[in-house]
Amino acid sequence: MRNIALTLRFDGSDYHGWQMQPALPTVCGAVAGALEPLCGHKVKLIGCGRTDAGVHAERYVANFRSETRIPDDRLPFALNAKLPPDICALEARTVPDGFHAAFSCVRKEYTYRLYNRPHRDPLLRRRALFWPYAAEYGLWREAAAGFVGTHDFAAVRSQGTPVKSTVRTVYYFEVEREGPDMYLFRVCANGFLYNMARAMVGTVLYGGLGKLGDVPSLLAGGNRSAAGPTVPAHGLYMTDIWYN
């Protein structure tokens, strides 16, 4: 029995996130549905993390166990022939038996895309957040830097799956400009709480509007209502993931 890790890329616009849900289209369901006729058996996919409805991935890892004889280098081609056009398998590799897409992960990176123009762009409506206000680049970067380090991130989480601890380590949170009107909010951490990345971006934007004190004090207070809003899912991408 092989343990196979898939690297995927997907547009999450038409899916209710990664996790399998009854009667709802999910990325996991689409990938499993394409894999099963190739493997000749039911497939249990383990994803590297839950993604919300509408969230995208430039790089997402999932693993499954199978006795399929399709070689690693041929499996993405076979799988892509059956996947819908908004999901693509980039790579397949046989990994050690103990590899687990979620538990073996040591850090992840998410990137939030925002475009700053006077008028909305219909071509970006499911790809980036429309922000018609002043782009406070310096204030955004200053607020983002306040999240870096090991903190209790309860102030920027939504209620969801219970967790043992809300302490996480953020390795970097950078705001980059891409072209004349696109901004990238790139954050890397050893783990993310439910809606944490989106709430962090919302808090940074809140700071740019002059509605925020200093971020360390906000985190120390642990009060979700004192932070900024959770920005919409369609601007968020999982962009990288690291394993030991």
Side-chain angles (χ1 to χ4, degrees), residues 62-136:
N63 71 292
F64 68 101
R65 298 179 189 276
S66 178
E67 294 180 349
T68 180
R69 296 183 179 181
I70 303 174
D72 287 351
D73 62 338
R74 299 307 304 169
L75 185 55
F77 292 97
L79 182 55
N80 287 334
K82 295 185 176 296
L83 282 171
D86 48 10
I87 305 174
C88 180
L90 303 177
E91 181 188 33
R93 57 192 178 93
T94 299
V95 291
D97 190 63
F99 177 87
H100 188 286
F103 299 153
S104 300
C105 169
V106 294
R107 62 176 68 183
K108 299 175 188 173
E109 180 191 81
Y110 283 95
T111 300
Y112 198 87
R113 300 177 69 87
L114 173 151
Y115 68 100
N116 181 235
R117 300 176 188 169
H119 306 289
R120 66 183 183 277
D121 185 340
L123 300 180
L124 294 174
R125 68 184 180 89
R126 303 206 294 182
R127 300 287 187 277
L129 178 67
F130 169 49
W131 189 257
Y133 313 105
E136 298 291 351

Side-chain angles (χ1 to χ4, degrees), residues 13 31 46 99 102 105 115 150-151 168 174 179 197-198 214 220 222 226:
S13 300
V31 177
I46 299 170
F99 177 87
C105 169
Y115 68 100
T150 301
H151 308 284
R168 297 291 186 272
E174 301 167 346
R198 289 162 57 196
D214 66 290

Side-chain angles (χ1 to χ4, degrees), residues 15-230:
Y15 298 96
H16 288 259
W18 165 264
Q19 199 74 10
M20 196 83 77
Q21 298 183 54
L24 291 173
T26 66
V27 180
C28 181
V31 177
L35 272 173
E36 287 170 358
L38 297 175
C39 297
H41 59 79
K42 295 290 288 184
V43 168
K44 181 182 178 182
L45 274 168
I46 299 170
C48 62
R50 294 170 180 259
T51 59
D52 295 333
V55 173
H56 317 292
E58 293 182 5
R59 184 167 182 256
Y60 186 95
V61 176
N63 71 292
F64 68 101
R65 298 179 189 276
S66 178
E67 294 180 349
T68 180
R69 296 183 179 181
I70 303 174
D72 287 351
D73 62 338
R74 299 307 304 169
L75 185 55
F77 292 97
L79 182 55
N80 287 334
K82 295 185 176 296
L83 282 171
D86 48 10
I87 305 174
C88 180
L90 303 177
E91 181 188 33
R93 57 192 178 93
T94 299
V95 291
D97 190 63
F99 177 87
H100 188 286
F103 299 153
S104 300
C105 169
V106 294
R107 62 176 68 183
K108 299 175 188 173
E109 180 191 81
Y110 283 95
T111 300
Y112 198 87
R113 300 177 69 87
L114 173 151
Y115 68 100
N116 181 235
R117 300 176 188 169
H119 306 289
R120 66 183 183 277
D121 185 340
L123 300 180
L124 294 174
R125 68 184 180 89
R126 303 206 294 182
R127 300 287 187 277
L129 178 67
F130 169 49
W131 189 257
Y133 313 105
E136 298 291 351
Y137 188 42
L139 291 176
W140 290 346
R141 296 184 70 182
E142 181 182 346
F147 284 104
V148 176
T150 301
H151 308 284
D152 186 333
F153 285 91
V156 284
R157 68 170 293 204
S158 298
Q159 292 301 314
T161 305
V163 293
K164 293 181 180 179
S165 172
T166 52
V167 174
R168 297 291 186 272
T169 298
V170 170
Y171 300 106
Y172 56 81
F173 189 5
E174 301 167 346
V175 184
E176 305 168 7
R177 190 168 185 172
E178 184 181 73
D181 50 23
M182 184 69 73
Y183 292 86
L184 309 181
F185 297 74
R186 199 181 305 276
V187 57
C188 176
N190 63 351
F192 288 85
L193 303 166
Y194 182 50
N195 282 343
M196 175 175 153
R198 289 162 57 196
M200 288 170 67
V201 173
T203 300
V204 167
L205 294 177
Y206 212 53
L209 296 173
K211 299 180 179 181
L212 183 73
D214 66 290
V215 170
S217 297
L218 169 73
L219 294 176
N223 183 359
R224 179 66 188 92
S225 63
T230 301

